Amino acid sequence: MADAEQSLVNGVTNLSVNGNEKSKESVDEFAKGWGFQLPELYKLAVRFYKEKNGKALKLKYQDKLRLVAYTKQATYGKYRNDVSPEVGFLDVVGNDRRQAWQALGDMSQTTAMAEFVKQLDSLCPLFRPFTEAHNAEKQEQERKRHEEEDRLRREAEEKERRRLEEEAQQQLELQKQKQLEQEMQIRAALNQQTAVQFAQYAQQQCPNNKQQQEELIRQLQEQHYQQYMQQVYQQQLMHQQQQYQQMQQQAGNTAPAPPSQPAPPSQQMESPPTQQPASQPTEVASPPPQANSVTPNGTEGTTEKRQEGEDDMPPLAAASMWTRKDIKEFKESLQKDKDSCIKIGSGETVTVRVPTHEDGTCLFWEFATDYYDIGFGVYFEWMIAPSTTVSVTVSESSDEEEFDEEQDPKNDVEQGTKKEDRPPTDEIIPVYRRDCHEEVYCGSHAYPGQGVYLLKFDNSYSLWRSKTLYYRVYYSR
């Protein structure tokens, strides 16, 4: 027994001397090899030792003493008399354990944990599968925890998204309600102003038929409202242009070009129509002059013309305009057609004359340019064209109106023909600069009757740059 005790003390002493060098594995090394950090692995090893000792784990006496010494050192550190209970002279096991603990000397607690794990692994082959099973269980719990966190995060994001959508929807509904209330107020004010005149006119047009009178009054009120809104919109555009001109004057003509004229909110479209646009409100005979102070296109010049004996012309519907992003594909599709590509010199204005076609009911146009913007507007000339051929004229000024002699033989400057002899012309879309070098500009207009559309492309404001125009016009039934 004395020899066994001495050999155990010598073995533990040698271990205490070389323990720091042999057991300097870092926490990361244990994590790589075992899947656990050292403190967690040590607790698992102690648990395995307590559960399996004497069952699946059968150790020699010296090995047990060494393992117990490691646990004391890992728990309390260096041997201390106040921690170790008093043992009697005849308590052999107690004395052996105390000597084994004392033999560890100044071994650190971390080193003691590492040595306990190593010794247990070398003495019992079942210890590593035990830790692997617990590691797999730990990873599964970690996976479930991450899945639960992801699920909760997704639910929170979905809840927040729904909340934002609901708020946006509520805001949109409030905005629509506000716009509807404003529209109702405007309509009520306009209807109150024209109630007597429209009633008199309806009585003249549909005597002894109350139902037709009411329908006619509703149509007149709708036209009056649309005319009023168009006039308000044009006034806003004029105000914006005046502000821009003031900015130019203040900046010494170094301000950027004014933004292109957008279509009125009620007429904006994100993509071209696939069929003929929806019909406008049913047109009726012109109401009494005192009840309708502006024409459907909202221009003063047209009003003056129609007061001079042209009231038999039907009113013009508003045009629709929109833009497309596929400008590159659009220009490539027209490059092979020489008639669809026009070079507009600096200071020039090109007018594309498109007569109405007997098989058509609506005109469509599309155009784009390279690198720079250009002015664009649409007019309608009340005349019966001799043919349906599309022609192009070039003038040095945006105010000039040149005619082809074949289309209008009367227009002979040498014979002294005056410009006043030209057919009456209505403005459908005023000329404004368009950013057609960035997007394809498109539009449509329902035929008001027989005549010629004048598509004006104005480059008169450019003193140095010429523009390459790509355009296409067609009609639909």
Side-chain angles (χ1 to χ4, degrees):
M1 177 64 70
D3 294 339
E5 293 177 1
Q6 187 63 36
S7 63
L8 174 62
V9 172
N10 293 336
V12 174
T13 302
N14 293 333
L15 181 62
S16 65
V17 174
N18 302 320
N20 292 334
E21 297 179 358
K22 292 182 180 180
S23 303
K24 285 187 178 181
E25 285 193 50
S26 65
V27 175
D28 293 337
E29 292 175 346
F30 273 93
K32 292 179 181 178
W34 295 84
F36 294 96
Q37 297 293 337
L38 180 58
E40 188 177 1
L41 181 61
Y42 171 73
K43 292 180 180 180
L44 197 62
V46 172
R47 174 184 168 188
F48 176 80
Y49 175 76
K50 292 180 178 179
E51 291 178 355
K52 306 299 181 181
N53 187 21
K55 300 175 184 178
L57 180 62
K58 296 183 179 180
L59 303 176
K60 296 180 181 180
Y61 180 71
Q62 293 85 349
D63 295 332
K64 290 183 179 181
L65 289 178
R66 184 175 301 175
L67 292 175
V68 171
Y70 286 142
T71 59
K72 294 291 186 181
Q73 191 79 4
T75 305
Y76 302 106
K78 185 178 180 181
Y79 172 79
R80 291 162 48 191
N81 291 326
D82 58 336
V83 173
S84 177
E86 293 291 337
V87 296
F89 179 76
L90 299 177
D91 187 358
V92 178
V93 175
N95 282 296
D96 290 344
R97 290 180 176 178
R98 183 181 61 184
Q99 292 178 8
W101 185 9
Q102 287 178 335
L104 296 180
D106 295 331
M107 179 183 292
S108 66
Q109 292 177 295
T110 302
T111 304
M113 292 180 186
E115 290 299 329
F116 182 87
V117 172
K118 287 183 178 180
Q119 290 295 322
L120 187 61
D121 182 40
S122 62
L123 294 174
C124 183
L126 297 177
F127 174 61
R128 188 171 288 271
F130 177 81
T131 58
E132 291 175 353
H134 280 75
N135 188 28
E137 182 180 358
K138 173 187 174 184
Q139 292 179 355
E140 180 65 17
Q141 293 177 352
E142 190 71 14
R143 183 187 64 80
K144 290 181 178 179
R145 184 179 64 82
H146 284 302
E147 288 181 353
E148 182 67 15
E149 290 178 354
D150 291 341
R151 184 185 65 81
L152 295 175
R153 178 180 55 80
R154 288 194 299 269
E155 288 181 354
E157 291 177 352
E158 180 67 18
K159 185 177 180 180
E160 181 66 15
R161 184 185 65 81
R162 291 178 180 175
R163 185 185 66 81
L164 294 176
E165 287 181 353
E166 291 176 357
E167 289 182 355
Q169 185 66 24
Q170 292 176 357
Q171 191 71 17
L172 182 61
E173 291 177 355
L174 290 175
Q175 186 176 2
K176 289 182 179 179
Q177 183 67 24
K178 184 177 179 181
Q179 292 177 353
L180 182 60
E181 292 176 356
Q182 292 177 350
E183 179 181 342
M184 293 176 63
Q185 292 174 359
I186 294 173
R187 287 182 181 272
L190 294 176
N191 294 342
Q192 185 178 3
Q193 293 175 0
T194 59
V196 177
Q197 293 90 340
F198 284 171
Q200 293 175 354
Y201 179 72
Q203 180 66 29
Q204 295 174 2
Q205 296 294 321
C206 307
N208 304 324
N209 192 328
K210 190 66 174 178
Q211 184 176 0
Q212 290 184 0
Q213 291 177 15
E214 292 177 355
E215 180 65 23
L216 181 56
I217 291 174
R218 282 196 295 269
Q219 293 176 3
L220 293 173
Q221 289 174 344
E222 179 64 25
Q223 286 187 358
H224 192 200
Y225 172 76
Q226 296 296 338
Q227 293 166 8
Y228 173 80
M229 296 305 296
Q230 185 75 10
Q231 191 176 25
V232 170
Y233 177 70
Q234 290 184 352
Q235 290 176 354
Q236 291 176 351
L237 290 178
M238 292 176 61
H239 179 67
Q240 291 178 0
Q241 194 147 7
Q242 290 174 358
Q243 288 182 337
Y244 168 72
Q245 291 174 355
Q246 293 176 358
M247 290 172 58
Q248 274 191 325
Q249 294 174 358
Q250 294 175 358
N253 295 330
T254 58
S260 60
Q261 176 204 16
S266 61
Q267 300 171 9
Q268 289 181 351
M269 301 176 63
E270 295 181 356
S271 60
T274 57
Q275 58 184 3
Q276 184 176 354
S279 59
Q280 301 294 330
T282 305
E283 296 178 356
V284 299
S286 300
Q290 68 272 19
N292 192 11
S293 59
V294 295
T295 59
N297 59 13
T299 58
E300 297 177 356
T302 307
T303 303
E304 294 175 359
K305 289 181 181 179
R306 294 187 178 173
Q307 290 176 354
E308 295 173 359
E310 299 172 1
D311 292 332
D312 56 340
M313 297 178 186
L316 289 176
S320 297
M321 289 195 67
W322 62 93
T323 60
R324 299 203 319 261
K325 298 294 185 181
D326 57 338
I327 185 170
K328 182 178 179 182
E329 294 80 359
F330 174 76
K331 291 192 291 188
E332 288 177 353
S333 65
L334 297 180
Q335 284 177 348
K336 298 180 181 179
D337 187 2
K338 295 182 179 180
D339 295 334
S340 298
C341 300
I342 303 175
K343 190 79 170 182
I344 305 177
S346 58
E348 293 182 346
T349 296
V350 167
T351 302
V352 179
R353 298 174 58 84
V354 187
T356 56
H357 199 282
E358 60 182 3
D359 295 332
T361 60
C362 185
L363 176 70
F364 288 85
W365 61 83
E366 301 172 329
F367 67 93
T369 56
D370 289 333
Y371 308 117
Y372 305 106
D373 62 358
I374 198 167
F376 174 75
V378 180
Y379 298 81
F380 189 80
E381 201 173 72
W382 295 92
M383 64 173 291
I384 299 178
S387 68
T388 59
T389 304
V390 177
S391 62
V392 178
T393 59
V394 181
S395 62
E396 297 295 333
S397 172
S398 61
D399 296 330
E400 294 182 17
E401 290 289 342
E402 296 188 1
F403 293 87
D404 191 341
E405 292 183 1
E406 295 179 0
Q407 296 177 355
D408 191 357
K410 297 180 181 180
N411 185 26
D412 189 347
V413 178
E414 294 181 358
Q415 296 178 4
T417 304
K418 297 181 179 179
K419 292 184 179 181
E420 284 75 7
D421 295 337
R422 296 176 182 175
T425 303
D426 280 342
E427 181 184 76
I428 299 174
I429 300 176
V431 176
Y432 285 102
R433 293 170 67 173
R434 321 282 175 165
D435 292 330
C436 48
H437 60 296
E438 298 176 350
E439 297 177 304
V440 180
Y441 272 69
C442 313
S444 67
H445 187 256
Y447 284 179
Q450 284 187 321
V452 179
Y453 282 97
L454 306 179
L455 277 62
K456 287 188 173 294
F457 298 95
D458 185 4
N459 196 32
S460 60
Y461 60 87
S462 180
L463 301 178
W464 308 105
R465 293 191 179 97
S466 59
K467 311 291 174 63
T468 301
L469 172 68
Y470 305 83
Y471 81 98
R472 177 166 56 195
V473 292
Y474 52 94
Y475 67 88
S476 68
R477 297 188 180 185

